[in-house]
């Protein structure tokens, strides 16, 4: 079984955000604006993405 992947791009700055939102960015591996990472589509990653969806762009790979 091949795991689905998501391409996640940070579109807004992490400065001035809630600590928990900054931790979600760190958990997804995002550090800079316009940085993209590929993450496996798991409930844990989906939860972090949903929490900070206002500062991300998400695409299925």
């Amino acid at each position: 079984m091949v795991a689905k992947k998501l391409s996640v791009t940070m579109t807004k700055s992490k400065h001035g955000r809630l600590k928990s939102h900054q931790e979600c960015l760190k958990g997804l591996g995002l550090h800079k604006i316009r940085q993209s990472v590929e993450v496996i589509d798991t409930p844990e990653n989906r939860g972090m993405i949903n929490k900070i969806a206002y500062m991300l762009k998400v695409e299925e790979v």
Side-chain angles (χ1 to χ4, degrees):
M1 179 176 153
V2 177
K4 287 186 357 183
K5 289 198 171 195
L6 300 171
S7 175
V8 182
T9 305
M10 183 174 164
T11 58
K12 293 187 179 185
S13 173
K14 65 182 176 182
H15 297 289
R17 307 294 178 187
L18 293 172
K19 181 83 169 155
S20 61
H21 291 196
Q22 292 181 23
E23 293 297 323
C24 287
L25 285 171
K26 188 185 290 187
L28 290 168
L30 293 166
H31 304 286
K32 298 179 180 178
I33 297 175
R34 291 187 293 280
Q35 177 186 4
S36 293
V37 294
E38 285 190 6
V39 295
I40 298 171
D41 189 7
T42 62
E44 293 82 5
N45 286 338
R46 278 287 183 173
M48 288 191 281
I49 290 168
N50 288 339
K51 189 170 190 176
I52 57 172
Y54 66 96
M55 53 195 306
L56 300 176
K57 183 175 89 175
V58 182
E59 301 169 333
E60 287 191 17
V61 178

